[in-house]
Amino acid sequence: MSPRPDSDDIRRRVKRQLGPDATTEMVESVVRRVEALSDGSGEDLSTDLRSMPPEQKDAGGDRLIIAVFGVNQPGIMAGVSQILSRHRCNILDISQKLMQEFFTMILVVDLTGADTTFEQLQQDFDKLGNSLGIKIYAQHEDVFRALNRL
Amino acid sequence: MSWTTTEILETLRMTEVEHLDIRTITMGISLRGLTGGDAASAAQRVYDRVSERAGSLIETVDRLSRRLGIPVANKRVAITPVAVAFDNLGRDGLVQIAQALDRAAANVGIDYIAGYSALVDKGSTRGDEDLIASIPEAIGGTERVCASVNVASSRAGINLDAVAAMGRVIKRLAEATRDRDAVGCAKLVVFCNVPEDNPFIAGAFHGISEPETVINVGVSGPGVILDTVRRAGKADARELAEQIKLTAFRVTRAGELLGRRVAADLGIPFGIVDLSLAPTPEPGDSVGEVLKAIGLEDVGAPGTTAALALLTDAMKRGGLMASSSVGGLSGAFIPVSEDAAMVSAVQKGHLSLEKLEALTAVCSVGLDMIALPGDTPAETLAAIIADECAIGMVNHKTTATRLIPVPGKTVGDVADYGGLMGQAPIMAVSTLSPARFISRGGQIPQPVTGVRN
């Protein structure tokens, strides 16, 4: 087990996770729960984060949209989901379609609770994409929101 | 929130296929409150302030840019007009400030810092005169410092004395950097109606009505717009404008998203998004190519002015819908050296200085990176500046000139600056003399439309 992080460290990490729009109250409330959790006295943290109002979660939300395109072959879906599961990323939505011999898949993935960074994931996807000869694009959901929604 | 396949594919096409990027994220830093003592101690305070405030600019922008998957071409700094912040230092003292800025820019890892500037559209203070006189030494003797002088406005008219002085300063700066094709002149912009929040180098500065520190964003996007125009096929003009508008919306949103994240991370206010189309020498990243895709055989053909008007207005409409923080220049840049299609049009004789001047009336910013024969007289340079100022003054728009009289070169030669500045073919300029007009000096009064209230 890793050494117990101090409160300031937790606070910094929580702030990072919640994003720029997080209020001091939000940060403090999560930090208290994390501390209680590591004492063994708290409830499950993940449900609390998920039940936050969507606009607060979305503000700095860590959701990716992943699009996969390529010639259909065994191992595409397995490869992508293995990477996600290895890093504890939660798949929120998935749509998959075959267009003639082309495999297309779009996933919405939650990185909250993941043990990796966006960049690391991208590297893993690039590696998989190269080995299968397919294209995997991962992009932060904030970019989709900014470019498409009023 | 659920996403439609169209939204996802459109977004991925822009970011992954068309390589949407942001041209510049520019930090504005106030240099006020640093006077007192001698020039050396003021210069040290300037160095310290820029180093401190911009110290984590590059790291922050790079980190957030990677996280969002939107590349940023340039990270730069704009400062309070030096003539305003240090009007008591005298010519040599001002040169020391320029040198301190140069060192500070190198220290924080940026290629350009802009704001060695004076605002003299209605008259010059002694500090303004010192700064203008110091430009050949200050800019010629530094690598990263950029200067600008605002010599005209719709409110005040055109300061013809300052215009004449700028003609002479440009000649001296060209001479000071003659071994590098007068590269110093690429770092000097002469303005009419200069905006105070322009993030684009070389004409940027941190205006006197701006906060202590601010983040401004200049979007890019000729490549993305070019693709939009090509995909629009045979669409009529209104439909074409509509398509460009939709793309401009997205480009602006991407710029504002990244700019606001950077500002929040640094704990400073976000300023504006500048909607300018800014080309680079990269193939396809060209405003000239967009104009050709609209349907011109080459840039400079009859119809170029109308096509540019359509393009820039459609850009603005999309951008204004996308963001309520729009500012800066928000036009289309048609620099001759930085845009491959423009260079080619000049070399083929399709695009003249006179046609470029006409284009600047419909919202490109100005005569930008125009290389001229080295023997062009100072009065002719001044008169070109005066013409450009007249267009800006009467039309209530920003116009600018970046003229480069390249010593020892003439029409048919090319000035080569490399990198983002690219190559500039020497353009022909009229040899008729405006000397008697320029030597009148004084102030051209503002147009009647400039007297508003």
Side-chain angles (χ1 to χ4, degrees), chain B residues 95-110:
Chain B
V95 172
Q96 288 187 48
I97 298 290
Q99 290 161 348
L101 289 168
D102 206 32
R103 288 195 303 274
N107 182 35
V108 299
I110 55 170

Side-chain angles (χ1 to χ4, degrees), chain A residues 118-119 139 146 148-149, chain B residues 7 11 66-68 253 261:
Chain A
F118 177 41
E119 288 160 272
Q139 180 69 273
N148 291 288
R149 300 287 166 92
Chain B
E7 284 174 325
T11 309
R66 280 196 305 271
R67 189 176 138 89
L68 293 175
R253 278 301 182 95
R261 288 290 163 84

Side-chain angles (χ1 to χ4, degrees), chain B residues 319-382:
Chain B
L320 286 169
M321 180 70 186
S323 170
S324 49
S325 308
V326 170
L329 300 164
S330 290
F333 296 160
I334 45 171
V336 170
S337 76
E338 296 166 17
D339 187 315
M342 303 293 288
V343 172
S344 150
V346 169
Q347 283 173 332
K348 288 179 185 155
H350 295 165
L351 183 60
S352 66
L353 190 59
E354 289 72 20
K355 185 63 178 176
L356 274 169
E357 182 183 319
L359 294 177
T360 65
V362 298
C363 213
S364 74
V365 176
L367 293 175
D368 196 16
M369 293 294 286
I370 309 289
L372 298 171
D375 59 2
T376 309
E379 294 80 17
T380 301
L381 297 174

